[in-house]
């Protein structure tokens, strides 16, 4: 269990406070926590952070693009180390097709959008997926890609909110199945 008193971080005039609620994701050896972000002692935003082992083999250096922060006169770091996009896709693929996949409908659209934007290297995503599926050992890779019927409304709503090219669950299902097959055969 993470201890709230261990989060003593700040940046410029931002401070961060770990909220007491924690969600154990045992299959991924990860804990999801909520972090309250405050600016000049005032509540600003709450973000979810997944804290887990450093299993990623790839990291991406990302230049922050946060609207309004520069206008506030705050300094922004040049680059931030993030879990590599292919690793993220592999983890999301494992999560949304696994035995504990409830509440993971959004992962399907996340994966499709990453590919649509040309950010996915299918060969590297396959290597990461094979490793992650093997380590977690809950279900085989490539996984079954049948989307649960109870996700239909959520997928269609999210697709509309994201401006995705289709908002029909059957078409999203087909695109997801085709993409997983393409990753598996890369």
């Amino acid at each position: 269990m993470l201890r709230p008193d261990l989060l003593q971080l700040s940046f410029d005039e931002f401070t961060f406070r770990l909220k007491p609620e924690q969600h154990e994701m045992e299959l991924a050896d990860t804990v999801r926590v909520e972090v309250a972000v405050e600016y000049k002692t005032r509540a600003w935003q709450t973000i979810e952070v997944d804290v887990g082992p450093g299993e990623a083999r790839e990291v991406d250096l990302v230049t922050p693009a946060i609207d309004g922060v520069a206008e506030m006169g705050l300094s922004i770091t040049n680059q931030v180390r993030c879990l590599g996009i292919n690793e993220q896709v592999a983890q999301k693929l494992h999560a949304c097709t696994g035995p504990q996949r409830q509440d993971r409908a959004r992962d399907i659209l996340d994966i499709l959008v990453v590919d649509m934007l040309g950010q996915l290297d299918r060969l590297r995503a396959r290597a990461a997926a094979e490793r992650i599926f093997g380590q977690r050992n809950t279900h085989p890779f490539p996984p079954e890609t049948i989307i649960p019927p109870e996700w239909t409304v959520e997928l269609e709503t999210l697709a509309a909110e994201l401006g995705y090219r289709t908002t029909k669950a059957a078409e999203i299902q087909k695109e997801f199945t085709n993409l997983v097959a393409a990753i598996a055969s890369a």
Side-chain angles (χ1 to χ4, degrees), residues 133-153:
F133 277 69
Q135 287 172 343
R136 297 182 183 170
N137 198 27
T138 58
H139 59 294
F141 178 80
E144 182 69 42
T145 57
I146 304 289
I147 295 174
E150 61 269 19
W151 289 5
T152 299
V153 172

Side-chain angles (χ1 to χ4, degrees), residues 59-65 77-85 88:
V59 295
D60 290 333
L61 296 176
V62 177
T63 302
T77 185
N78 290 339
Q79 294 183 322
V80 177
R81 288 176 48 96
C82 296
L83 181 64
I85 197 74
Q88 286 183 44

Side-chain angles (χ1 to χ4, degrees), residues 1-58:
M1 176 167 216
L2 294 174
R3 292 183 14 219
D5 59 314
L6 294 179
L7 189 65
Q8 299 295 325
L9 302 174
S10 63
F11 171 75
D12 201 23
E13 294 190 55
F14 286 94
T15 55
F16 307 91
R17 180 178 48 81
L18 188 62
K19 291 188 169 185
E21 303 84 30
Q22 295 182 13
H23 174 68
E24 300 278 338
M25 296 183 285
E26 293 174 13
L27 294 177
D29 192 22
T30 300
V31 176
R32 176 166 291 152
V33 297
E34 288 187 343
V35 177
V37 182
E38 298 174 350
Y39 180 67
K40 292 186 177 180
T41 71
R42 304 213 60 182
W44 190 56
Q45 183 176 6
T46 297
I47 59 173
E48 288 183 342
V49 178
D50 292 350
V51 181
E55 65 184 5
R57 300 228 173 120
E58 289 186 34

Side-chain angles (χ1 to χ4, degrees), residues 76-131:
I76 301 175
T77 185
N78 290 339
Q79 294 183 322
V80 177
R81 288 176 48 96
C82 296
L83 181 64
I85 197 74
N86 300 301
E87 295 266 344
Q88 286 183 44
V89 165
Q91 289 188 13
K92 286 177 174 291
L93 180 59
H94 182 272
C96 72
T97 60
Q100 294 183 339
R101 65 184 178 175
Q102 57 273 36
D103 301 324
R104 302 306 296 227
R106 179 178 199 99
D107 289 338
I108 291 171
L109 281 169
D110 289 347
I111 292 166
L112 291 172
V113 167
V114 166
D115 185 59
M116 182 183 78
L117 295 174
Q119 299 297 310
L120 185 63
D121 179 322
R122 293 176 181 180
L123 184 61
R124 289 170 43 203
R126 185 191 82 207
E130 287 173 343
R131 181 176 46 75

